[in-house]
Amino acid sequence: MDNAVPVPGSDLRPADAHLPADLHTPLRADAFVLSDEEKIAGITDHFREIMQLLGLDLTDDSLAGTPRRVAKMYVQEWFRGLHPEHRPDVRLFDNRYQYGQMLLERDITLFSCCEHHFVPIIGKAHVAYLPGENVVGLSKLNRVVQYYARRPQVQERLTRQIAEELKQSLHTDNVAVLIEADHLCVMSRGVNDTSSSTITAEYSGAFGTDATLRAEFLRLIGK
């Protein structure tokens, strides 16, 4: 995977080139040829057409700026995790304190978007690892979660993407990731079930083989 070919017209490698192929977010080879401003302009035009087809009056003060607002939200906020330049730089520090127990960051705010209906997924992520020679700044764990969440997603892939990124960045297989989230595609359409939630988990290394360690992780996050 590290020998991935750069995208034509760009000096950027494919967004998920460092991940196993089955964890790649579906992207075309020319995904980053257009600049963000060009994407915003194009989405603005298309969303304006959608609103017009719905019969909305875009001369109304409240609606006139909506197409561009939506376009900027998509490119600069909701889906900023598609662009590899936003991948967090996970800097490691020497584990001078010889801390060897579980390090857990729980209740990380998670906001994503269902790739089937383009409506929000809202929840929390809990991530843990066993330090070896290195530790990582705590905010980097949050940033890894946010990077992969901020793209069209399915929760199963998101969970594994976060785990794989942490394994590679922290140089350890001893990683646990659990996500609990509400899907507005379930809550606001279809079955309209507002009480159910979805939980996915990925346990690697010692978290996968040591039932006591895994139970401690679940206890600490209240599961």
Side-chain angles (χ1 to χ4, degrees):
M1 284 301 161
D2 275 344
N3 295 322
V5 177
V7 175
S10 169
D11 59 358
L12 294 168
R13 291 145 55 85
D16 297 333
H18 59 295
L19 299 179
D22 63 325
L23 296 186
H24 288 193
T25 296
L27 281 171
R28 297 198 322 269
D30 62 350
F32 310 114
V33 171
L34 295 178
S35 68
D36 281 0
E37 192 52 48
E38 288 172 324
K39 290 180 180 181
I40 289 170
I43 294 171
T44 297
D45 291 340
H46 289 299
F47 201 81
R48 181 181 295 113
E49 184 177 356
I50 290 173
M51 294 178 69
Q52 289 171 339
L53 288 170
L54 289 171
L56 296 169
D57 180 6
L58 270 74
T59 66
D60 185 272
D61 286 348
S62 181
L63 298 177
T66 297
R68 182 167 174 82
R69 283 193 293 267
V70 170
K72 290 177 66 177
M73 178 184 71
Y74 279 173
V75 174
Q76 298 177 347
E77 298 177 82
W78 276 27
F79 305 134
R80 73 189 309 271
L82 289 172
H83 206 300
E85 72 177 11
H86 297 139
R87 182 186 174 198
D89 180 17
V90 180
R91 181 183 175 190
L92 301 180
F93 301 91
D94 291 338
N95 185 4
R96 300 192 306 272
Y97 350 98
Q98 297 301 303
Y99 180 78
Q101 301 302 308
M102 182 195 317
L103 194 152
L104 167 66
E105 185 84 357
R106 68 180 191 180
D107 295 334
I108 298 173
T109 299
L110 183 142
F111 182 92
S112 191
C113 182
C114 165
E115 67 182 36
H116 298 147
H117 296 94
F118 267 46
V119 292
I121 299 170
I122 302 170
K124 297 178 180 179
H126 315 281
V127 301
Y129 73 100
L130 295 180
E133 295 181 359
N134 300 297
V135 292
V136 65
L138 294 180
S139 68
K140 297 303 183 182
L141 301 176
N142 301 62
R143 293 185 189 280
V144 167
V145 170
Q146 292 166 0
Y147 173 63
Y148 285 103
R150 291 291 182 160
R151 52 174 77 179
Q153 275 291 12
V154 294
Q155 187 171 326
E156 299 92 331
R157 184 176 64 221
L158 171 61
T159 306
R160 291 195 59 215
Q161 284 178 331
I162 294 169
E164 184 63 29
E165 179 72 37
L166 292 174
K167 286 161 62 178
Q168 292 190 25
S169 298
L170 302 176
H171 307 302
T172 179
D173 285 336
N174 301 321
V175 167
V177 177
L178 187 144
I179 292 175
E180 46 187 333
D182 297 326
H183 293 241
L184 265 69
C185 57
V186 174
M187 299 174 69
S188 66
R189 56 160 302 283
V191 295
N192 294 121
D193 185 344
T194 60
S195 62
S196 64
S197 60
T198 301
I199 295 178
T200 50
E202 179 78 0
Y203 303 116
S204 298
F207 286 96
T209 59
D210 186 336
T212 301
L213 178 65
R214 189 164 62 252
E216 177 71 0
F217 168 73
L218 293 171
R219 184 187 69 79
L220 290 172
I221 66 174
K223 298 299 177 188

